[in-house]
Amino acid sequence: MIEKLSEEARALALANLPEWTVVAEPDGISRRFTFPDFVAAFGFMTRVAIVAEKADHHPEWSNVYNRLDMLLTTHDAGGLSQRDIDLAQEVEALL
Ligand SMILES: C[C@H](O)[C@H](O)[C@H]1CNC2=NC(N)=NC(=O)C2=N1
């Protein structure tokens, strides 16, 4: 069973993800992405989907035209875990 991150681990991890915001409910991290158009946004989502499926860790997200809102939380842990941090870092690398 994956565990929620301790306060210390969370502060450390977030220091490396400056574009991400802590969300309280559900306990997780979120980021808004803006692209030139829908094709660019959806292309990015496709690349994230492949990484997410490989990691068996999936974002909660919403897309409107060129905008993508992504929330990472771990359902199995009931909040923010290392899996979310790892996926956020992989997502950043796809930009
Ligand atoms: C059975 C399967 O491994 C689990 O349901 C995985 C799938 N993807 C997941 N994604 C997220 N964000 N949190 C999870 O706890 C989770 N669990």
Side-chain angles (χ1 to χ4, degrees):
M1 185 68 173
I2 183 89
E3 306 229 322
K4 282 172 67 159
L5 282 185
S6 69
E7 286 304 323
E8 200 183 358
R10 171 183 295 244
L12 213 67
L14 290 168
N16 294 317
L17 293 168
E19 306 289 339
W20 293 76
T21 303
V22 177
V23 176
E25 191 52 56
D27 175 37
I29 53 173
S30 73
R31 180 176 172 177
R32 171 165 286 186
F33 302 88
T34 310
F35 299 93
D37 53 27
F38 175 72
V39 170
F42 202 80
F44 179 71
M45 290 174 75
T46 305
R47 290 185 286 133
V48 170
I50 291 165
V51 164
E53 184 59 15
K54 210 171 276 178
D56 192 29
H57 197 66
H58 305 87
E60 296 185 19
W61 55 10
S62 153
N63 160 241
V64 178
Y65 183 54
N66 67 335
R67 193 177 75 221
L68 171 64
D69 289 314
M70 188 183 299
L71 172 84
L72 301 179
T73 184
T74 302
H75 310 122
D76 297 344
L80 185 68
S81 80
Q82 188 59 43
R83 280 193 202 157
D84 301 306
I85 303 300
D86 293 346
L87 183 56
Q89 265 150 5
E90 288 194 77
V91 166
E92 287 296 310
L94 292 176
L95 281 170

